[in-house]
Amino acid sequence: MKQKIILSFLLQLAILPACFAQQSNEAAVGYHLPDVMRTQSGKVINTVAGWEKTRRPEITALFEKNVQGKTPVKNIPLRYVPLSVSRNALNGTATRKQVRVYFSGDDKYYMDILLYLPNSKNKPVPMFLGLNFGGNQSVNADTGILISERWVKYAPEPAYKNHFATAASRGTQSNDWCVEKIIAAGYGLATVYYGDLQPDSANSVNAGVAPLFYRKGQKEPAADEWGAIGVWAWCLSRALDYMETDKDIDSKRVTVMGHSRLGKTALWAGAQDKRFALVISNNSGEGGAAITRRKYGETIAVMNKAFPHWFCGNFKKYNDKEDELPVDFHELIALIAPRPVYIASASEDQWADPLGEYLSGWYATPVYALYGLKGLNTPVPPDINQPVGDGTIGYHIRKGVHAITPYDWDQYIRFANRFFSK
Ligand code: GCU
């Protein structure tokens, strides 16, 4: 079985250039990817043990050093303070909890987790966990949600005033979150405002949790230490720490998901923290699922210029030098193996390079094959709105723009059901 999968992968690799030509209108994009199955010293990996003991740690270290930066290992004591519980939220279908998580002895550093749990279940429930862009109150019109008091980057008036939320921001992103749909499917949702951990703006690293980890005299993360995406990913793991203590939650069945920059974040969280049972990347693009060597849509240089705070200092060395980066992003997907991963693109989101997003799943497939698991079947992406989700790597390209929509959630729920139901 295993050999068959690997053989079919190799055969299809041989026909790849022809497929590219048929499938896309783009000029042939020539690139040579680092081989996920070969170590830097040239050793071919063909066993799970070789992957887990040698190649996986090597790839992880390369991402840490060159891309997202290292996550500090210091153990920060967490303190959970329940802010509110309502057993009668969303017309009685859900329990809403809000929990403040403090990261230090004083009250300065904290994040607020908003949780909805389906009342239809009387056992611990599987969860979707994701960071949100607009403050927890933007996720649903439920007036019981506390309004975030943090600075918000994308803050249209009148929902926000001078970058701070007003009551008019309640539910403005409810279409992105589809809480009712998630609850009806028997899942819970946990979400945190990403700006709780570090504001999404250049030069604001010291306004977030990073200083808690500084060595004596340190003023900013070193060139191989985390940027904002690393901080946000760390926060997702801390939310999971909390969920492990909540007996209404099945913390072994938590899906980490994210859209766009928060999709890049979800992938990095899932790659580092094996407790996440499933990982979803929604339109994560450059620095997320997209193959950077394709140089299609956004590139490393463009992203580092617009968002210099997202990745580590060393990542800037690869501006316009994609081919020198010792990893590519199919290897980020491979770090999630053998756990299920779902990659989603949108047809009008060429900036995020839909084909590159698909191909990272395809090129991660040999690692899934090592475990005897099916990844993607072919290097040719499916048609628009034709999801593929019968393997351990799922994918769809939705018609429309860069966004997360009810259609996307339908696919995520269906995919998660395959792994989590009963
Ligand atoms: C910009 C950025 C992308 C990012 C996106 C988002 O478009 O260039 O890399 O994914 O913002 O987070 O919405």
Side-chain angles (χ1 to χ4, degrees):
M1 168 71 172
K2 221 186 284 175
Q3 276 90 337
K4 222 168 121 197
I5 297 175
I6 293 177
L7 185 68
S8 112
F9 180 82
L10 291 175
L11 275 174
Q12 302 198 11
L13 213 52
I15 57 161
L16 201 50
C19 295
F20 276 154
Q22 279 166 19
Q23 274 292 307
S24 72
N25 296 326
E26 55 192 302
V29 198
Y31 56 87
H32 183 73
L33 286 182
D35 184 347
V36 67
M37 305 291 268
R38 190 184 289 265
T39 65
Q40 289 207 300
S41 62
K43 186 167 178 275
V44 174
I45 299 297
N46 47 23
T47 62
V48 166
W51 168 253
E52 290 185 353
K53 293 208 175 73
T54 308
R55 184 63 172 144
R56 189 180 188 283
E58 181 178 71
I59 292 173
T60 307
L62 291 170
F63 274 105
E64 287 173 342
K65 180 166 175 217
N66 300 290
V67 185
Q68 295 91 347
K70 275 188 240 143
T71 303
V73 283
K74 184 171 160 188
N75 226 343
I76 301 277
L78 305 182
R79 193 157 47 92
Y80 307 125
V81 177
L83 299 177
S84 78
V85 179
S86 162
R87 303 264 163 213
N88 200 23
L90 308 178
N91 296 323
T93 58
T95 293
R96 178 200 345 100
K97 299 186 186 183
Q98 297 178 88
V99 180
R100 184 158 289 180
V101 182
Y102 287 101
F103 299 119
S104 67
D106 64 33
D107 287 355
K108 188 167 164 211
Y109 300 100
Y110 65 83
M111 67 178 180
D112 286 346
I113 315 180
L114 166 68
L115 302 110
Y116 283 102
L117 307 169
N119 285 341
S120 57
K121 304 271 164 179
N122 45 18
K123 54 180 189 193
V125 290
M127 300 288 293
F128 288 98
L129 164 68
L131 298 172
N132 67 72
F133 282 92
N136 290 347
Q137 80 291 338
S138 67
V139 164
N140 193 276
D142 176 354
T143 51
I145 306 175
L146 298 166
I147 295 185
S148 170
E149 292 174 2
R150 310 270 195 186
W151 180 87
V152 175
K153 186 179 185 76
Y154 299 110
E157 305 223 350
Y160 299 84
K161 198 157 185 278
N162 298 327
H163 291 270
F164 289 91
T166 72
S169 66
R170 288 194 178 284
T172 45
Q173 294 178 12
S174 54
N175 217 36
D176 301 31
W177 288 97
C178 298
V179 183
E180 290 81 358
K181 188 190 278 292
I182 294 169
I183 294 295
Y187 289 84
L189 173 71
T191 184
V192 175
Y193 171 51
Y194 79 135
D196 276 9
L197 277 289
Q198 181 172 325
D200 185 3
S201 81
N203 305 320
S204 61
V205 57
N206 290 336
V209 294
L212 285 176
F213 298 87
Y214 288 167
R215 294 174 294 278
K216 204 160 181 282
Q218 191 174 4
K219 297 215 163 48
E220 58 179 17
D224 65 348
E225 290 178 334
W226 61 1
I229 285 185
V231 170
W232 298 329
W234 179 83
C235 148
L236 287 165
S237 288
R238 302 296 70 79
L240 182 53
D241 291 346
Y242 163 74
M243 289 196 269
E244 286 182 331
T245 70
D246 186 328
K247 52 184 185 353
D248 293 336
I249 290 173
D250 181 350
S251 60
K252 299 261 180 304
R253 293 187 296 167
V254 175
T255 295
V256 64
M257 58 79 56
H259 168 60
S260 210
R261 70 199 66 187
L262 299 179
K264 308 180 207 299
T265 303
L267 288 172
W268 183 229
Q272 293 178 96
D273 190 337
K274 292 184 181 170
R275 295 174 301 165
F276 288 117
L278 196 158
V279 183
I280 296 173
S281 147
N282 192 85
N283 307 180
S284 63
E286 184 69 24
I291 299 285
T292 191
R293 278 169 173 73
R294 282 173 42 76
K295 302 177 190 115
Y296 183 94
E298 190 173 23
T299 62
I300 294 177
V302 169
M303 187 171 62
N304 277 338
K305 185 152 185 269
F307 305 101
H309 54 294
W310 283 358
F311 291 89
C312 73
N314 282 342
F315 196 41
K316 307 204 171 49
K317 292 186 193 160
Y318 303 99
N319 288 351
D320 301 315
K321 293 189 181 143
E322 286 80 357
D323 296 312
E324 291 176 23
L325 185 67
V327 285
D328 210 312
F329 287 80
H330 60 305
E331 294 175 305
L332 183 58
I333 305 297
L335 292 181
I336 295 161
R339 292 163 294 149
V341 59
Y342 197 105
I343 303 166
S345 305
S347 62
E348 289 161 39
D349 187 19
Q350 294 299 314
W351 186 240
D353 186 12
L355 178 57
E357 292 179 317
Y358 176 81
L359 288 172
S360 68
W362 164 248
Y363 287 118
T365 288
V367 178
Y368 283 83
L370 272 185
Y371 289 90
L373 297 170
K374 190 161 101 175
L376 293 173
N377 285 333
T378 153
V380 183
D383 288 341
I384 293 173
N385 289 2
Q386 298 293 321
V388 285
D390 61 336
T392 311
I393 304 179
Y395 178 84
H396 70 253
I397 175 163
R398 167 182 49 75
K399 183 166 168 42
V401 297
H402 184 72
I404 173 163
T405 70
Y407 176 90
D408 299 311
W409 278 107
D410 285 337
Q411 314 320 315
Y412 301 152
I413 290 168
R414 192 155 30 156
F415 190 67
N417 283 345
R418 277 194 42 229
F419 300 95
F420 295 157
S421 51
K422 318 314 165 240

